[in-house]
Amino acid sequence: MCPPPGPRAWLPKGTLSPSAVMAFPSARRRRRGQLLARGGRPATATGLLVALALAGRCLCWASPPGPSRRSAAAAGAAAAAAALAGIAPAAHADQFILPYMKPGNPDKLDYRDPDFPPVPDEDPFVRKLQAKSWAMEPIIRTRLFLMEEKRRVQPNPFADYKFFVKRVDSSTQWDVLDEASWKSASELGKVLLDNDLSFRREEWESFVYATDKDQEWVARNLNVTDIVEMPPELVEKIRLIGTRKFAG
């Protein structure tokens, strides 16, 4: 329970307040000397926090209205003590309302189907960008599929590296090689970089066999850990995207 109001009425004369003790190193040394002179022990970190929290509650009750250094320190001390005690501050519904998030579609934006080409823009430069982007859509969809499969066959991104090599006999299948096998095949020129599916900016690389004989040699002599195949529904969607031409 807090003592009656009054500036530092509950502290002995000449004793520094807990907020001052925490705020200034010289004040902490003076406080330590006062405690030792009275035969007491210097407070531990936990004890100081508890005392500071109690003092903060009292200061908040006894301080006059208006901001002050003491009230700010007391409020901070109370918040720190509450955090240490695991007491979460009360949540208000207003704090989760974002002013820029409007319900529904008040701006009447046209969300196009990503499986269809965009509406040509009036600006010729923008139309060229739209045409290039739509032409890359089948490759982008394939690349995204392989990136997802990479996370499956190589859960740890920093070890046990795996490499995708596109098969010669199928445009929707890739052999998965471990690092040692990939290095051996690359040094012998049997595995080459797939310039279409690789995207250096995203640090993504995909590979392709140089010939069908190289694919057979790798299967016989190296370690093919897995074979990744694109699902039929994705193959069909990519085929349809390729038939839908940009009208610009």
Side-chain angles (χ1 to χ4, degrees):
M1 181 175 179
C2 292
R8 298 171 57 185
W10 62 94
L11 295 176
K13 185 177 181 180
T15 303
L16 296 174
S17 65
S19 58
V21 170
M22 295 300 294
F24 303 101
S26 59
R28 289 198 295 270
R29 290 193 294 270
R30 181 178 172 187
R31 175 67 171 172
R32 180 185 178 93
Q34 292 170 350
L35 290 173
L36 292 175
R38 292 199 296 268
R41 288 186 177 181
T44 62
T46 305
L48 282 175
L49 285 174
V50 174
L52 189 57
L54 294 175
R57 293 175 60 186
C58 296
L59 286 170
C60 290
W61 174 64
S63 298
S68 66
R69 182 179 298 178
R70 176 179 294 181
S71 61
L84 287 175
I87 303 174
H92 301 283
D94 294 343
Q95 75 184 76
F96 300 108
I97 297 177
L98 303 178
Y100 55 85
M101 295 292 290
K102 302 176 182 178
N105 187 15
D107 298 326
K108 307 301 180 185
L109 299 177
D110 183 17
Y111 295 99
R112 73 175 186 88
D113 189 337
D115 294 338
F116 286 84
V119 177
D121 194 85
E122 297 178 356
D123 190 332
F125 178 73
V126 176
R127 284 202 303 272
K128 289 182 180 179
L129 295 179
Q130 287 178 316
K132 289 182 179 180
S133 176
W134 182 250
M136 288 288 296
E137 193 66 22
I139 295 177
I140 293 174
R141 300 290 180 98
T142 304
R143 187 185 295 152
L144 291 175
F145 164 75
L146 292 177
M147 288 180 175
E148 185 67 26
E149 287 297 303
K150 181 72 172 288
R151 287 188 283 270
R152 179 183 66 82
V153 300
Q154 183 191 319
N156 187 348
F158 306 107
D160 194 19
Y161 296 110
K162 298 294 190 297
F163 299 85
F164 287 179
V165 184
K166 191 174 184 179
R167 296 177 61 89
V168 178
D169 55 355
S170 175
S171 61
T172 60
Q173 291 183 336
W174 288 261
D175 286 345
V176 181
L177 305 183
D178 59 21
E179 187 173 11
S181 299
W182 170 78
K183 284 184 177 180
S184 299
S186 298
E187 291 172 356
L188 295 173
K190 299 182 180 299
V191 168
L192 306 175
L193 182 68
D194 189 339
N195 292 316
D196 292 333
L197 288 177
S198 297
F199 192 45
R200 295 293 183 88
R201 188 177 301 174
E202 295 290 336
E203 298 183 354
W204 167 258
E205 289 183 335
S206 184
F207 301 88
V208 61
Y209 288 113
T211 64
D212 54 348
K213 293 183 178 180
D214 294 324
Q215 176 180 314
E216 295 173 0
W217 184 90
V218 169
R220 288 195 310 267
N221 299 281
L222 299 178
N223 184 24
V224 179
T225 62
D226 199 352
I227 296 178
V228 170
E229 184 173 5
M230 194 179 295
E233 56 271 16
L234 180 57
V235 174
E236 178 63 17
K237 180 176 290 188
I238 291 176
R239 186 192 68 80
L240 289 175
I241 289 174
T243 62
R244 296 164 182 164
K245 304 301 180 182
F246 178 66

